[in-house]
Amino acid sequence: MSAADLTALLPLIVLAATPVVVMVVIAFHRSHRVTALITLAGMATAFGMLRQAAAAGPRRVTALLVIDAYALFYVGLILAAGIITALLAYEYFRRRDGAPDEFYILLLIATAGAAVLAASSHFASLFLGFEMLSVSLYAMIAYQRGRERSDEAGLKYLILAGTSSSFLLFGMALVYARTGTMEFTGIAGSAAAMQGEAVFISGLIMIIVGIGFKLALVPFHLWTPDVYEGAPAPVSAFIATVSKGAVFALLLRLFAVMDIHDSPVLTAIFALLAAASMLIGNILALFQHNVKRLLAYSSIAQLGYALVAAIAGGALSATAVSYYLAAYFITILGAFGIVSLLSGGEAEAEMIEEYQGLAWRRPWIAGSLTALLLSLAGIPLTAGFIGKFYVVAAGARSALWPLLIVLVISSAIGLFYYLRVIAALYARVPEERERAGIAPFLSFTGSAVLILLITALIVLGIHPSPLIALLETTVARLL
């Protein structure tokens, strides 16, 4: 491996070395604050190394990883979300008993797995990234053993993620059996001649099933609400953003390399998954009274929207998906962040009734949550609106009219349940209930995270040009 290869890999090397440093430090001195600081320093250093990595690329490092502008954009997005998650986790665990030092090791390994996925160009690195991410998440979801639903959520994710990994592995084995290669480009070269091969198509469908589980697309979504509800709020934020974003980045690379638009069967399968995710995710969210479950179903629908742009193909596709995912990261991290910051030492603030009248007790938090929900609904002056606009533009350019009609109908359904939560925030409640309602004091860290996310939400909503220009010079080169 050359010096340039090592330079290109610097963000991943720093990210992989940080958990080792954390383990050594906690072997001598257990301190929540020190562990959190080392974690944040490691992620921030890895983020700072992106510029050096970009200067050394684009390049293929062995057959497993490709370090290009596209991969580095998503690694940066993953690292930024990882830093936000670490800050939220620090505030969350600070109010609880126990020493959560091991949590940060799991968080770093999961983030490294997600970064590997974003840079994968080979089935081996794909599976390695999946497992680094999934195995860490098993423990992170069940980390709070004292909570009633924590073990159940961890066990459910373990069983279903294990099942999805089996589908993925078997699918990769079938594809390898027919093509003789595990590199994406090699498989793409053989794909045209394999369109009528039952073994090859079966392998691809099994891979789609495995990816569908990870993205929680309908009908592989059943684990999502239970896991989001049972996991600590910062972990739910991490699953909804980093885990799904990394898999979506991988999927988009597969779309580009293998050019699935030449395969009517694969295009039809993904179109059905997108339509079902948009409709069923939004309809099921209508019946939720638990904010975490509502956000879980909402995230299913949101990834359905992003899939529409991915299916569209063309020069606009990668830009639209990437912008949409960046906006989605901000809004979901903010929404789960507010749940996390409002949660007390024992239970979590997850029922909609607990948010009633919040605007009269904590107007700043209620206003922030309102802005985040409006962004998820795609209302103008928010990042979510620009993201959805780009998705619709990409779909219209490729004449995906049936999918766009489903998108509009499901967005209208989604608007209803977002407004239901907003109405609860501004509802007047009896004075005694108002005094008993959730209204904790926000720390400096919690306030800073919230200000950062809301600022990004509004800036990207009214002045998206810099990010769009960045995407057009980075991720658009994937195609």
Side-chain angles (χ1 to χ4, degrees), residues 59-104:
R59 66 175 46 246
R60 181 177 291 276
V61 183
T62 72
L64 302 181
L65 299 171
V66 55
I67 306 296
D68 55 8
Y70 173 83
L72 292 175
F73 171 79
Y74 277 97
V75 170
L77 200 58
I78 288 164
L79 285 169
I83 290 170
I84 297 292
T85 305
L87 289 169
L88 292 174
Y90 175 74
E91 285 301 312
Y92 183 87
F93 287 113
R94 195 169 61 85
R95 297 194 294 268
R96 287 164 172 76
D97 296 332
D101 303 76
E102 297 82 1
F103 178 86
Y104 296 96

Side-chain angles (χ1 to χ4, degrees), residues 12 57 60 168 179-180 189 199 205 298 340 350 368 424 431 466 472 475:
L12 295 180
R60 181 177 291 276
L168 191 68
T179 61
V199 174
I205 290 174
S298 166
S340 172
E350 54 188 24
S368 301
E431 192 176 342
E472 286 175 347
V475 300

Side-chain angles (χ1 to χ4, degrees), residues 336-358:
F336 275 113
I338 286 178
V339 175
S340 172
L341 296 172
L342 291 181
S343 298
E346 299 297 329
E348 292 197 350
E350 54 188 24
M351 302 307 295
I352 292 178
E353 292 75 19
E354 296 177 83
Y355 289 78
Q356 281 187 338
L358 185 66

Side-chain angles (χ1 to χ4, degrees), residues 46-318:
F47 192 90
M49 293 293 179
L50 291 175
R51 184 179 289 274
Q52 283 83 352
R59 66 175 46 246
R60 181 177 291 276
V61 183
T62 72
L64 302 181
L65 299 171
V66 55
I67 306 296
D68 55 8
Y70 173 83
L72 292 175
F73 171 79
Y74 277 97
V75 170
L77 200 58
I78 288 164
L79 285 169
I83 290 170
I84 297 292
T85 305
L87 289 169
L88 292 174
Y90 175 74
E91 285 301 312
Y92 183 87
F93 287 113
R94 195 169 61 85
R95 297 194 294 268
R96 287 164 172 76
D97 296 332
D101 303 76
E102 297 82 1
F103 178 86
Y104 296 96
I105 298 172
L106 295 168
L107 177 63
L108 285 162
I109 296 172
T111 307
V116 168
L117 274 179
S120 288
S121 62
H122 193 280
F123 277 164
S125 53
L126 184 159
F127 196 71
L128 179 67
F130 262 132
E131 291 309 297
M132 285 173 67
L133 182 59
S134 298
V135 172
S136 303
L137 284 178
Y138 302 151
M140 287 168 69
I141 291 166
Y143 198 80
Q144 271 199 295
R145 301 290 304 280
R147 288 188 68 229
E148 187 181 345
R149 295 181 297 270
S150 185
D151 289 345
E152 179 191 339
L155 192 60
K156 186 168 284 188
Y157 189 77
L158 169 68
I159 294 170
L160 291 177
T163 306
S164 70
S165 295
S166 304
F167 272 101
L168 191 68
L169 199 57
F170 195 33
M172 290 192 294
L174 291 179
V175 170
Y176 175 69
R178 295 305 304 149
T179 61
T181 179
M182 290 197 286
E183 288 186 53
F184 296 169
T185 49
I187 294 165
S190 307
M194 297 283 174
Q195 291 298 325
E197 288 273 353
V199 174
F200 180 74
I201 295 296
S202 301
L204 288 183
I205 290 174
M206 284 189 172
I207 292 172
I208 292 171
V209 170
I211 290 175
F213 267 110
K214 302 293 183 189
L215 289 175
L217 297 172
V218 175
F220 314 111
H221 66 289
L222 295 176
W223 59 272
T224 314
D226 293 338
V227 169
Y228 279 34
E229 184 183 2
V235 177
S236 301
F238 186 84
I239 299 170
T241 53
V242 173
S243 174
K244 292 187 177 183
V247 177
F248 216 101
L250 171 77
L251 186 66
L252 204 58
R253 188 183 288 279
L254 282 173
F255 276 19
V257 172
M258 299 184 68
D259 200 3
I260 69 146
H261 308 96
D262 288 343
S263 170
V265 175
L266 293 178
T267 306
I269 289 173
F270 279 107
L272 283 173
L273 291 176
S277 299
M278 288 187 286
L279 273 178
I280 295 176
N282 277 317
I283 290 171
L284 291 177
L286 279 176
F287 303 100
Q288 304 306 315
H289 297 282
N290 183 304
V291 174
K292 290 170 79 177
R293 293 181 74 87
L294 184 148
L295 290 173
Y297 284 115
S298 166
S299 73
I300 294 168
Q302 297 286 338
L303 287 185
Y305 301 149
L307 199 53
V308 173
I311 294 168
L316 194 57
S317 176

Side-chain angles (χ1 to χ4, degrees), residues 356-380:
Q356 281 187 338
L358 185 66
W360 311 106
R361 302 189 298 275
R362 289 289 184 269
W364 150 240
I365 301 177
S368 301
L369 186 54
T370 302
L372 292 162
L373 292 172
L374 291 176
S375 180
L376 284 171
I379 301 300

